[in-house]
Structures are given as C-alpha cells and as structure tokens.
Amino acid sequence: MAEQEKHVLRTRVLGARRALTARQRATAAEELRGHVLELAQELRDGPVCAYLPVGTEPGSVAVLDGLRAAGRSVLLPVVPPRPGPLDWAAYTGPGSLGPGPLGLREPVTPRLGPAAVRTAVLVLVPALAVDRSGRRLGRGGGYYDRTLGAVPPGVPVVALLHDGELLDEVPADPHDRPVTGVVLPTPGTVATGNNGRP
C-alpha cells in the first residue's frame, strides 16, 4: 500500500517541480544556498556530506561552492556498482566532476568509502517530500536508506526542498530512514519531529 501511495506522491511532486519556471528555480536555489550556509556556520568543524542536484531537484552547485568558500570540505555521493550504501569522494570544484551512473555527475577524486559519512557534521540529502515527523520520500532507489544508518547520533540529516514539499504526512516503510530537518526557500531551516537520529 505504501508503494502505491509513494508512487502517487512522487508523480505529483515531480509534476509540480516541472511546472516551476527557470526563474523560480534559480530564486529558490539562491535562498536555499543562504539558509544552508547559515546552518553550517552553527556547526563544529568537519566535512559536509552533500549532493549535486539534477534536473528540478532543489539546491545548486553554488551551495557546494559556498560551503567550500566558508572553509568546509564537501563530500559528494558516489553510486556503487550494486545497490548498497553510497560511497563518498571530495568535491573540489566543478572541474572535479565527471559522468556517473543513473545520469548523475559525481567526483572523479579518490573514493573514501561508505564510512566517510561517519565523519560528517552535516548531511544534506535530496528528497521529493518530507513530513513533519521526518519521514522522507526519495526517488525509490534506496541508496540513502542504506547509507543514513551510519550517520552518528546528533549529526543533522537535512533534506533540501522546494516550498510546499514539507507535508503533514508522507507514506513510509519500516526501512525508510527519517531526517532531522528540512531547508526550504521560505521559511528556511525547519526541525522535524524526528529528534533522534536516522
């Protein structure tokens, strides 16, 4: 039942994202960049695990470059050859990216292994929607659900969303890993009811 509900919600959210104009997406990306940099300033020194958005996903390369300009090391996911936890590699600028599987770009820098997520002080994750208890709807590949269990307790796991994608309820399965908060263009960072860890 959850899978059917997830499919319906994914279709709805992806349709709404496609309806956004280029200007709306650019404005949202700039607002998200500012909120993420504010959030990162509040954290101890250490790397940020982030992601490179594709298509209409919230976020931008400017988020990654802003984190680096603020003195943070940035790690990006590397999709493994078989389904499993994500690998990680350092992002050192747009020139450090190359083609990856699933139509993604990923770092061509040395692989650091799945355990690198344990060194992060902040983990930014993609999502299609999140509810107020922290349940996250992804694209269905399960890579993040296999990865987030390794994040140490107390480390924020935050999804970047477009406005309107923080919902009262998101369908979830027992294996789905929740997030501790979301960042939206407005109102910014919002903690979810998941005060524990993913």
Coordinates of all heavy atoms in Angstrom, one line a residue, residues 4-106:
Q4 N 2.3 2.2 -3.5 CA 1.3 2.9 -4.4 C 1.1 4.3 -3.9 O 1.1 5.2 -4.8 CB -0.1 2.2 -4.3 CG -1.1 2.8 -5.3 CD -2.4 2.0 -5.3 OE1 -2.5 1.0 -4.6 NE2 -3.3 2.5 -6.0
E5 N 1.1 4.6 -2.6 CA 0.9 6.0 -2.2 C 2.2 6.8 -2.5 O 2.1 7.9 -2.9 CB 0.7 5.9 -0.6 CG -0.6 5.4 -0.2 CD -0.8 5.2 1.3 OE1 0.3 5.3 2.0 OE2 -1.9 5.1 1.7
K6 N 3.3 6.1 -2.4 CA 4.6 6.8 -2.7 C 4.6 7.2 -4.2 O 5.0 8.3 -4.6 CB 5.8 5.9 -2.4 CG 6.1 5.8 -0.9 CD 7.3 4.9 -0.7 CE 7.7 4.7 0.7 NZ 8.9 3.9 0.9
H7 N 4.2 6.2 -5.0 CA 4.2 6.5 -6.5 C 3.3 7.7 -6.8 O 3.7 8.5 -7.6 CB 3.7 5.2 -7.2 CG 3.5 5.5 -8.7 ND1 4.6 5.6 -9.6 CD2 2.4 5.6 -9.5 CE1 4.2 5.8 -10.8 NE2 2.9 5.8 -10.8
V8 N 2.1 7.7 -6.2 CA 1.2 8.8 -6.5 C 1.8 10.2 -6.0 O 1.8 11.2 -6.7 CB -0.2 8.6 -5.7 CG1 -1.0 9.9 -5.8 CG2 -0.9 7.4 -6.4
L9 N 2.4 10.2 -4.8 CA 3.0 11.4 -4.3 C 4.2 11.8 -5.2 O 4.4 13.0 -5.5 CB 3.4 11.2 -2.9 CG 4.0 12.5 -2.2 CD1 3.0 13.7 -2.3 CD2 4.2 12.2 -0.7
R10 N 5.1 10.8 -5.6 CA 6.2 11.1 -6.4 C 5.7 11.8 -7.7 O 6.3 12.8 -8.2 CB 7.0 9.9 -6.8 CG 7.9 9.4 -5.7 CD 8.7 8.2 -6.1 NE 9.5 7.6 -5.0 CZ 9.3 6.5 -4.5 NH1 8.3 5.7 -4.9 NH2 10.0 6.1 -3.4
T11 N 4.7 11.2 -8.3 CA 4.2 11.8 -9.6 C 3.7 13.2 -9.4 O 4.0 14.1 -10.2 CB 3.1 10.9 -10.1 OG1 3.6 9.6 -10.3 CG2 2.5 11.5 -11.4
R12 N 3.0 13.5 -8.3 CA 2.5 14.8 -8.0 C 3.6 15.8 -7.8 O 3.6 16.9 -8.3 CB 1.6 14.8 -6.8 CG 0.8 16.0 -6.6 CD -0.1 15.9 -5.3 NE 0.7 16.5 -4.2 CZ 0.4 16.2 -2.9 NH1 -0.5 15.3 -2.6 NH2 1.1 16.7 -2.0
V13 N 4.6 15.4 -7.0 CA 5.7 16.4 -6.7 C 6.6 16.6 -7.9 O 6.9 17.8 -8.2 CB 6.6 15.8 -5.5 CG1 7.8 16.7 -5.3 CG2 5.8 15.8 -4.2
L14 N 6.9 15.6 -8.7 CA 7.7 15.8 -9.9 C 7.0 16.7 -10.9 O 7.6 17.5 -11.5 CB 8.1 14.5 -10.5 CG 9.1 13.6 -9.7 CD1 9.2 12.2 -10.2 CD2 10.4 14.3 -9.7
G15 N 5.6 16.5 -11.0 CA 4.9 17.4 -11.8 C 4.9 18.9 -11.4 O 5.1 19.8 -12.2
A16 N 4.8 19.1 -10.1 CA 4.9 20.5 -9.5 C 6.3 21.1 -9.8 O 6.4 22.2 -10.1 CB 4.5 20.4 -8.1
R17 N 7.3 20.2 -9.6 CA 8.6 20.8 -9.9 C 8.9 21.1 -11.3 O 9.5 22.1 -11.6 CB 9.7 19.7 -9.4 CG 9.8 19.6 -7.9 CD 10.9 18.6 -7.5 NE 11.1 18.6 -6.1 CZ 12.0 17.9 -5.5 NH1 12.8 17.1 -6.2 NH2 12.1 17.9 -4.2
R18 N 8.3 20.3 -12.2 CA 8.5 20.6 -13.7 C 7.7 21.9 -14.0 O 8.1 22.6 -15.0 CB 8.0 19.5 -14.5 CG 8.9 18.3 -14.6 CD 8.5 17.3 -15.7 NE 7.2 16.7 -15.4 CZ 7.1 15.6 -14.6 NH1 8.2 15.0 -14.2 NH2 5.9 15.1 -14.4
A19 N 6.7 22.2 -13.3 CA 5.9 23.5 -13.5 C 6.6 24.7 -13.1 O 6.2 25.8 -13.5 CB 4.5 23.3 -12.9
L20 N 7.6 24.6 -12.3 CA 8.4 25.8 -11.8 C 9.1 26.4 -13.0 O 9.7 25.7 -13.8 CB 9.4 25.4 -10.7 CG 8.8 25.0 -9.4 CD1 9.9 24.5 -8.5 CD2 8.0 26.1 -8.7
T21 N 9.1 27.7 -13.1 CA 9.9 28.4 -14.1 C 11.4 28.4 -13.8 O 11.8 28.2 -12.6 CB 9.4 29.8 -14.3 OG1 9.8 30.6 -13.1 CG2 7.9 29.9 -14.6
A22 N 12.2 28.6 -14.8 CA 13.7 28.7 -14.5 C 14.0 29.8 -13.5 O 14.8 29.6 -12.6 CB 14.4 28.9 -15.8
R23 N 13.3 30.9 -13.6 CA 13.5 32.0 -12.6 C 13.1 31.5 -11.2 O 13.8 31.8 -10.2 CB 12.7 33.2 -13.0 CG 12.9 34.4 -12.1 CD 12.1 35.6 -12.6 NE 12.6 36.8 -11.9 CZ 12.9 37.9 -12.5 NH1 12.9 38.0 -13.8 NH2 13.3 38.9 -11.7
Q24 N 12.0 30.8 -11.0 CA 11.5 30.4 -9.7 C 12.6 29.4 -9.2 O 12.9 29.5 -8.0 CB 10.2 29.7 -9.8 CG 9.0 30.6 -10.0 CD 7.7 29.9 -10.3 OE1 7.7 29.0 -11.1 NE2 6.6 30.4 -9.7
R25 N 13.1 28.5 -10.0 CA 14.1 27.5 -9.5 C 15.4 28.3 -9.1 O 16.0 27.9 -8.1 CB 14.4 26.5 -10.6 CG 13.3 25.5 -10.7 CD 13.7 24.2 -11.5 NE 14.1 24.5 -12.9 CZ 13.3 24.5 -13.9 NH1 12.0 24.2 -13.7 NH2 13.7 24.7 -15.1
A26 N 15.8 29.3 -9.9 CA 17.0 30.0 -9.6 C 16.8 30.8 -8.3 O 17.8 30.8 -7.4 CB 17.4 30.9 -10.7
T27 N 15.7 31.4 -8.1 CA 15.4 32.1 -6.8 C 15.4 31.2 -5.6 O 16.0 31.5 -4.6 CB 14.1 32.9 -6.9 OG1 14.2 33.8 -8.0 CG2 13.8 33.6 -5.6
A28 N 14.8 30.1 -5.8 CA 14.7 29.1 -4.7 C 16.1 28.6 -4.4 O 16.5 28.4 -3.2 CB 13.8 27.9 -5.1
A29 N 16.9 28.3 -5.4 CA 18.3 27.8 -5.2 C 19.1 28.8 -4.4 O 19.9 28.5 -3.5 CB 19.0 27.5 -6.5
E30 N 19.0 30.1 -4.7 CA 19.8 31.1 -4.0 C 19.3 31.2 -2.6 O 20.2 31.4 -1.7 CB 19.6 32.5 -4.8 CG 20.4 33.6 -4.1 CD 21.9 33.3 -4.0 OE1 22.5 32.5 -4.8 OE2 22.5 33.9 -3.1
E31 N 18.0 31.2 -2.3 CA 17.5 31.2 -0.9 C 18.0 30.0 -0.2 O 18.4 30.1 1.0 CB 16.0 31.3 -0.9 CG 15.5 32.7 -1.4 CD 14.0 32.7 -1.6 OE1 13.4 31.7 -1.8 OE2 13.5 33.8 -1.7
L32 N 18.0 28.8 -0.8 CA 18.5 27.6 -0.1 C 20.0 27.7 0.2 O 20.4 27.3 1.3 CB 18.2 26.4 -1.0 CG 16.8 25.9 -1.1 CD1 16.7 24.8 -2.2 CD2 16.3 25.4 0.2
R33 N 20.7 28.3 -0.7 CA 22.2 28.5 -0.5 C 22.4 29.3 0.8 O 23.2 28.9 1.6 CB 22.8 29.1 -1.7 CG 24.4 29.3 -1.6 CD 24.9 30.1 -2.7 NE 24.5 31.5 -2.5 CZ 25.2 32.4 -1.6 NH1 26.2 32.0 -0.9 NH2 24.8 33.6 -1.5
G34 N 21.7 30.4 0.9 CA 21.9 31.2 2.1 C 21.5 30.5 3.4 O 22.2 30.6 4.4
H35 N 20.4 29.7 3.4 CA 20.0 29.0 4.6 C 21.0 27.9 4.9 O 21.3 27.7 6.1 CB 18.6 28.4 4.4 CG 17.5 29.4 4.2 ND1 17.4 30.6 4.9 CD2 16.5 29.5 3.3 CE1 16.3 31.2 4.5 NE2 15.8 30.6 3.5
V36 N 21.5 27.2 3.9 CA 22.4 26.1 4.2 C 23.7 26.7 4.8 O 24.3 26.1 5.8 CB 22.7 25.3 2.9 CG1 23.9 24.3 3.1 CG2 21.5 24.5 2.5
L37 N 24.2 27.8 4.3 CA 25.4 28.4 4.8 C 25.2 28.9 6.2 O 26.1 28.7 7.1 CB 25.9 29.5 3.9 CG 26.3 29.1 2.5 CD1 26.8 30.3 1.7 CD2 27.4 28.0 2.5
E38 N 24.1 29.4 6.5 CA 23.8 29.8 7.9 C 23.8 28.6 8.8 O 24.3 28.6 9.9 CB 22.4 30.5 8.0 CG 22.4 31.9 7.4 CD 21.0 32.5 7.4 OE1 20.1 31.9 8.1 OE2 20.8 33.5 6.8
L39 N 23.1 27.5 8.4 CA 23.1 26.3 9.2 C 24.5 25.8 9.4 O 24.8 25.4 10.6 CB 22.2 25.2 8.4 CG 22.1 23.9 9.1 CD1 21.5 23.9 10.4 CD2 21.3 22.9 8.1
A40 N 25.3 25.7 8.4 CA 26.7 25.2 8.5 C 27.5 26.0 9.5 O 28.4 25.5 10.2 CB 27.4 25.1 7.2
Q41 N 27.3 27.3 9.6 CA 28.1 28.2 10.5 C 27.9 27.8 11.9 O 28.7 28.1 12.7 CB 27.6 29.7 10.3 CG 28.2 30.3 9.0 CD 27.7 31.8 8.9 OE1 26.8 32.2 9.6 NE2 28.3 32.5 8.0
E42 N 26.7 27.2 12.2 CA 26.4 26.9 13.6 C 27.1 25.6 14.1 O 27.0 25.2 15.3 CB 24.9 26.7 13.8 CG 24.1 28.0 13.4 CD 22.6 27.7 13.4 OE1 22.2 26.6 13.7 OE2 21.9 28.7 13.0
L43 N 27.7 24.9 13.2 CA 28.3 23.5 13.5 C 29.8 23.5 13.7 O 30.5 24.4 13.2 CB 27.9 22.6 12.3 CG 26.5 22.5 11.9 CD1 26.3 21.7 10.7 CD2 25.7 21.8 13.1
R44 N 30.2 22.5 14.4 CA 31.7 22.4 14.6 C 32.4 22.1 13.3 O 31.8 21.8 12.3 CB 31.9 21.3 15.6 CG 31.7 19.9 15.1 CD 31.9 18.8 16.2 NE 31.9 17.5 15.6 CZ 30.9 16.8 15.3 NH1 29.6 17.3 15.5 NH2 31.0 15.5 14.8
D45 N 33.7 22.2 13.3 CA 34.5 22.0 12.1 C 34.3 20.5 11.7 O 34.2 19.6 12.5 CB 36.0 22.2 12.4 CG 36.3 23.7 12.5 OD1 35.4 24.5 12.1 OD2 37.3 24.1 13.0
G46 N 34.3 20.3 10.4 CA 34.2 19.0 9.8 C 33.5 19.0 8.5 O 33.0 20.1 8.1
P47 N 33.6 17.9 7.8 CA 33.0 17.9 6.4 C 31.5 17.9 6.4 O 30.9 17.5 7.3 CB 33.6 16.6 5.8 CG 34.0 15.8 7.0 CD 34.3 16.7 8.1
V48 N 31.0 18.3 5.3 CA 29.6 18.3 5.0 C 29.4 17.3 3.8 O 30.0 17.4 2.8 CB 29.0 19.7 4.5 CG1 27.6 19.5 4.1 CG2 29.1 20.7 5.7
C49 N 28.6 16.3 4.1 CA 28.1 15.4 3.0 C 27.0 16.0 2.3 O 26.0 16.3 3.0 CB 27.8 14.0 3.6 SG 29.2 13.0 4.0
A50 N 27.1 16.2 1.0 CA 26.0 16.9 0.3 C 25.7 16.1 -0.9 O 26.0 14.9 -1.0 CB 26.5 18.3 -0.1
Y51 N 25.0 16.7 -1.9 CA 24.7 16.0 -3.2 C 24.7 17.1 -4.3 O 24.5 18.3 -4.0 CB 23.4 15.3 -3.1 CG 22.2 16.2 -2.9 CD1 21.4 16.6 -4.1 CD2 21.8 16.7 -1.7 CE1 20.3 17.4 -4.0 CE2 20.7 17.5 -1.6 CZ 20.0 17.9 -2.7 OH 18.9 18.7 -2.6
L52 N 24.8 16.6 -5.5 CA 24.7 17.5 -6.6 C 23.3 17.4 -7.2 O 23.0 16.3 -7.7 CB 25.8 17.1 -7.6 CG 26.0 18.0 -8.8 CD1 26.5 19.4 -8.4 CD2 26.9 17.4 -9.8
P53 N 22.5 18.4 -7.2 CA 21.1 18.3 -7.7 C 21.1 18.0 -9.2 O 22.0 18.5 -9.9 CB 20.5 19.6 -7.3 CG 21.6 20.5 -7.1 CD 22.8 19.8 -6.7
V54 N 20.1 17.3 -9.6 CA 19.9 17.0 -11.0 C 18.5 17.5 -11.4 O 17.6 17.4 -10.6 CB 20.1 15.5 -11.4 CG1 21.5 15.1 -11.3 CG2 19.2 14.6 -10.6
G55 N 18.3 17.9 -12.6 CA 17.0 18.4 -13.1 C 16.4 19.4 -12.2 O 17.0 20.5 -12.0
T56 N 15.2 19.2 -11.7 CA 14.5 20.1 -10.9 C 14.7 20.0 -9.4 O 14.0 20.6 -8.6 CB 13.0 20.0 -11.2 OG1 12.5 18.7 -10.9 CG2 12.7 20.4 -12.6
E57 N 15.7 19.1 -9.0 CA 16.0 19.0 -7.6 C 16.4 20.3 -6.9 O 17.2 21.0 -7.5 CB 17.1 17.9 -7.3 CG 16.6 16.5 -7.4 CD 17.7 15.5 -7.1 OE1 18.9 15.8 -7.2 OE2 17.3 14.4 -6.6
P58 N 16.0 20.5 -5.7 CA 16.4 21.8 -5.0 C 17.9 21.7 -4.7 O 18.5 20.7 -4.5 CB 15.6 21.7 -3.7 CG 14.5 20.7 -3.9 CD 15.0 19.8 -4.9
G59 N 18.5 22.9 -4.7 CA 19.9 23.1 -4.5 C 20.6 23.5 -5.7 O 20.0 23.8 -6.7
S60 N 21.9 23.6 -5.6 CA 22.7 24.1 -6.7 C 24.2 23.8 -6.4 O 24.6 23.6 -5.3 CB 22.5 25.6 -6.9 OG 23.0 26.3 -5.8
V61 N 25.0 23.9 -7.5 CA 26.5 23.9 -7.3 C 26.9 25.0 -6.4 O 27.9 24.9 -5.6 CB 27.2 23.9 -8.7 CG1 28.7 24.0 -8.5 CG2 26.9 22.6 -9.4
A62 N 26.2 26.2 -6.4 CA 26.5 27.3 -5.6 C 26.5 27.0 -4.1 O 27.2 27.5 -3.3 CB 25.6 28.5 -5.9
V63 N 25.6 26.0 -3.7 CA 25.6 25.6 -2.3 C 26.9 24.9 -2.0 O 27.6 25.2 -0.9 CB 24.4 24.6 -2.0 CG1 24.6 23.9 -0.7 CG2 23.1 25.3 -2.2
L64 N 27.4 24.0 -2.8 CA 28.7 23.3 -2.6 C 29.8 24.3 -2.6 O 30.7 24.2 -1.7 CB 28.9 22.3 -3.7 CG 27.7 21.3 -4.0 CD1 28.1 20.4 -5.1 CD2 27.3 20.6 -2.7
D65 N 29.8 25.2 -3.6 CA 30.9 26.2 -3.6 C 30.9 27.1 -2.5 O 32.0 27.6 -1.9 CB 30.9 27.0 -5.0 CG 31.2 26.1 -6.2 OD1 31.9 25.0 -6.0 OD2 30.8 26.4 -7.3
G66 N 29.7 27.5 -2.0 CA 29.6 28.4 -0.8 C 30.1 27.7 0.4 O 30.8 28.3 1.3
L67 N 29.8 26.4 0.6 CA 30.4 25.7 1.7 C 31.9 25.6 1.7 O 32.6 25.8 2.7 CB 29.8 24.2 1.7 CG 28.3 24.1 2.1 CD1 27.8 22.8 1.8 CD2 28.1 24.4 3.6
R68 N 32.4 25.4 0.5 CA 33.9 25.3 0.3 C 34.5 26.7 0.6 O 35.6 26.8 1.3 CB 34.3 24.8 -1.1 CG 34.0 23.4 -1.3 CD 34.5 22.9 -2.6 NE 36.0 22.9 -2.6 CZ 36.7 23.7 -3.5 NH1 36.1 24.5 -4.3 NH2 38.0 23.7 -3.4
A69 N 33.9 27.8 0.1 CA 34.4 29.1 0.4 C 34.4 29.5 1.9 O 35.2 30.3 2.3 CB 33.6 30.1 -0.4
A70 N 33.4 28.8 2.6 CA 33.4 29.1 4.1 C 34.3 28.2 4.8 O 34.3 28.2 6.1 CB 31.9 28.8 4.5
G71 N 35.1 27.4 4.1 CA 36.2 26.6 4.8 C 35.8 25.1 5.0 O 36.5 24.4 5.7
R72 N 34.6 24.7 4.5 CA 34.2 23.3 4.7 C 34.7 22.4 3.6 O 34.7 22.8 2.5 CB 32.6 23.3 4.7 CG 32.0 24.0 5.8 CD 32.0 23.2 7.1 NE 31.4 23.9 8.2 CZ 31.3 23.5 9.4 NH1 31.8 22.3 9.8 NH2 30.7 24.2 10.4
S73 N 35.1 21.2 4.0 CA 35.3 20.2 3.0 C 33.9 19.6 2.6 O 33.1 19.5 3.5 CB 36.3 19.2 3.4 OG 35.8 18.5 4.5
V74 N 33.7 19.3 1.4 CA 32.4 18.8 0.9 C 32.6 17.5 0.3 O 33.5 17.3 -0.6 CB 31.8 19.8 -0.1 CG1 30.5 19.2 -0.7 CG2 31.6 21.2 0.5
L75 N 31.8 16.5 0.7 CA 31.9 15.2 0.2 C 30.6 14.9 -0.6 O 29.5 15.3 -0.1 CB 32.0 14.1 1.3 CG 33.2 14.3 2.2 CD1 33.2 13.2 3.3 CD2 34.5 14.4 1.5
L76 N 30.7 14.3 -1.8 CA 29.5 14.0 -2.6 C 29.4 12.5 -2.8 O 30.4 11.8 -2.7 CB 29.7 14.7 -4.0 CG 29.6 16.2 -4.0 CD1 29.7 16.7 -5.5 CD2 28.4 16.8 -3.4
P77 N 28.2 12.0 -2.9 CA 28.0 10.6 -3.1 C 28.5 10.0 -4.4 O 28.4 10.7 -5.4 CB 26.5 10.4 -2.9 CG 25.9 11.8 -3.4 CD 26.9 12.8 -3.0
V78 N 28.9 8.8 -4.3 CA 29.3 8.0 -5.5 C 28.4 6.8 -5.5 O 28.4 6.0 -4.5 CB 30.8 7.7 -5.5 CG1 31.1 6.8 -6.7 CG2 31.6 8.9 -5.4
V79 N 27.6 6.6 -6.5 CA 26.7 5.4 -6.6 C 27.5 4.2 -6.8 O 28.3 4.1 -7.7 CB 25.7 5.6 -7.7 CG1 24.8 4.4 -7.8 CG2 24.9 6.9 -7.5
P80 N 27.3 3.2 -5.9 CA 28.1 1.9 -6.0 C 27.6 1.1 -7.2 O 26.5 1.3 -7.7 CB 27.8 1.2 -4.7 CG 26.5 1.7 -4.3 CD 26.4 3.1 -4.8
P81 N 28.4 0.2 -7.7 CA 28.1 -0.6 -8.8 C 26.8 -1.5 -8.6 O 26.1 -1.8 -9.5 CB 29.3 -1.5 -9.1 CG 30.3 -1.1 -8.2 CD 29.8 -0.1 -7.2
R82 N 26.7 -1.9 -7.3 CA 25.5 -2.7 -7.0 C 24.8 -2.0 -5.8 O 25.4 -1.3 -5.0 CB 25.9 -4.1 -6.5 CG 26.4 -5.0 -7.6 CD 26.7 -6.4 -7.1 NE 27.8 -6.4 -6.1 CZ 29.1 -6.4 -6.5 NH1 29.5 -6.2 -7.7 NH2 30.0 -6.4 -5.5
P83 N 23.4 -2.1 -5.7 CA 22.7 -1.4 -4.6 C 23.4 -1.7 -3.3 O 23.6 -2.8 -2.9 CB 21.3 -2.0 -4.7 CG 21.2 -2.4 -6.1 CD 22.5 -2.9 -6.5
G84 N 23.6 -0.6 -2.6 CA 24.2 -0.7 -1.2 C 24.4 0.7 -0.7 O 23.9 1.7 -1.3
P85 N 25.2 0.9 0.4 CA 25.4 2.2 0.9 C 26.2 3.1 -0.1 O 27.0 2.5 -0.9 CB 26.2 2.0 2.1 CG 26.0 0.6 2.5 CD 25.7 -0.1 1.2
L86 N 26.0 4.4 -0.1 CA 26.7 5.2 -1.0 C 28.2 5.3 -0.6 O 28.5 5.3 0.5 CB 26.1 6.6 -1.0 CG 24.7 6.8 -1.6 CD1 24.1 8.1 -1.2 CD2 24.8 6.6 -3.1
D87 N 29.1 5.4 -1.6 CA 30.5 5.7 -1.4 C 30.5 7.3 -1.4 O 29.6 8.0 -1.7 CB 31.3 5.2 -2.6 CG 32.8 5.0 -2.2 OD1 33.3 5.7 -1.3 OD2 33.5 4.3 -2.9
W88 N 31.7 7.8 -1.0 CA 31.8 9.3 -1.0 C 33.2 9.7 -1.5 O 34.2 8.9 -1.5 CB 31.7 9.8 0.5 CG 30.4 9.5 1.0 CD1 30.0 8.4 1.7 CD2 29.2 10.3 0.9 NE1 28.7 8.4 2.1 CE2 28.2 9.6 1.6 CE3 28.9 11.5 0.3 CZ2 26.9 10.1 1.7 CZ3 27.6 12.0 0.4 CH2 26.6 11.3 1.1
A89 N 33.3 10.9 -2.1 CA 34.5 11.5 -2.6 C 34.4 13.0 -2.5 O 33.4 13.6 -2.4 CB 34.7 11.1 -4.1
A90 N 35.6 13.6 -2.4 CA 35.7 15.0 -2.1 C 35.3 15.8 -3.4 O 35.7 15.5 -4.5 CB 37.1 15.4 -1.7
Y91 N 34.5 16.9 -3.2 CA 34.2 17.8 -4.2 C 35.2 19.0 -4.1 O 35.2 19.6 -3.0 CB 32.8 18.3 -4.1 CG 32.4 19.5 -4.9 CD1 32.2 19.4 -6.3 CD2 32.4 20.8 -4.4 CE1 31.9 20.5 -7.1 CE2 32.1 21.9 -5.2 CZ 31.8 21.7 -6.5 OH 31.6 22.8 -7.3
T92 N 36.0 19.2 -5.1 CA 37.0 20.3 -5.0 C 36.7 21.4 -6.1 O 37.6 22.2 -6.4 CB 38.4 19.7 -5.2 OG1 38.4 19.1 -6.5 CG2 38.7 18.8 -4.1
G93 N 35.5 21.4 -6.6 CA 35.1 22.4 -7.6 C 34.5 21.7 -8.8 O 34.6 20.5 -9.0
P94 N 33.9 22.5 -9.7 CA 33.2 21.9 -10.9 C 34.1 21.0 -11.7 O 33.7 20.0 -12.3 CB 32.7 23.1 -11.7 CG 32.5 24.1 -10.6 CD 33.6 23.9 -9.6
G95 N 35.4 21.3 -11.8 CA 36.4 20.5 -12.5 C 36.6 19.2 -12.0 O 37.2 18.3 -12.6
S96 N 36.2 18.9 -10.7 CA 36.4 17.6 -10.1 C 35.2 16.6 -10.4 O 35.2 15.5 -9.8 CB 36.6 17.8 -8.6 OG 35.4 18.2 -8.0
L97 N 34.3 17.0 -11.2 CA 33.1 16.2 -11.5 C 33.3 15.5 -12.9 O 33.8 16.1 -13.8 CB 31.9 17.1 -11.5 CG 31.5 17.7 -10.2 CD1 30.4 18.7 -10.4 CD2 31.2 16.7 -9.1
G98 N 32.7 14.3 -12.9 CA 32.7 13.6 -14.2 C 31.4 12.8 -14.3 O 30.6 12.8 -13.3
P99 N 31.1 12.2 -15.4 CA 29.9 11.4 -15.6 C 29.8 10.2 -14.7 O 30.8 9.5 -14.4 CB 29.9 11.0 -17.0 CG 31.3 11.1 -17.5 CD 32.0 12.1 -16.6
G100 N 28.6 9.9 -14.1 CA 28.4 8.8 -13.3 C 27.2 8.0 -13.7 O 26.6 8.4 -14.7
P101 N 26.9 6.9 -13.0 CA 25.7 6.2 -13.4 C 24.4 6.9 -13.1 O 24.4 8.0 -12.4 CB 25.8 4.9 -12.5 CG 26.6 5.4 -11.3 CD 27.5 6.4 -11.8
L102 N 23.3 6.5 -13.7 CA 22.0 7.0 -13.4 C 21.8 8.4 -13.9 O 21.0 9.2 -13.4 CB 21.6 6.9 -11.9 CG 21.8 5.5 -11.3 CD1 21.4 5.6 -9.8 CD2 20.9 4.5 -12.0
G103 N 22.7 8.8 -14.9 CA 22.6 10.2 -15.4 C 23.2 11.2 -14.5 O 22.9 12.4 -14.6
L104 N 23.9 10.8 -13.4 CA 24.4 11.8 -12.4 C 25.8 12.2 -12.8 O 26.5 11.5 -13.5 CB 24.4 11.1 -11.1 CG 23.1 10.6 -10.5 CD1 23.3 9.8 -9.2 CD2 22.1 11.7 -10.3
R105 N 26.3 13.3 -12.2 CA 27.7 13.7 -12.2 C 28.2 13.4 -10.8 O 27.5 13.5 -9.8 CB 27.9 15.1 -12.5 CG 27.6 15.5 -14.0 CD 27.9 16.9 -14.3 NE 27.1 17.8 -13.5 CZ 27.4 19.1 -13.3 NH1 28.6 19.6 -13.7 NH2 26.6 19.9 -12.6
E106 N 29.4 12.9 -10.7 CA 30.0 12.6 -9.4 C 31.5 12.9 -9.4 O 32.1 13.1 -10.5 CB 29.7 11.1 -9.0 CG 30.3 10.1 -10.0 CD 29.9 8.7 -9.7 OE1 28.8 8.5 -9.1 OE2 30.6 7.8 -10.1

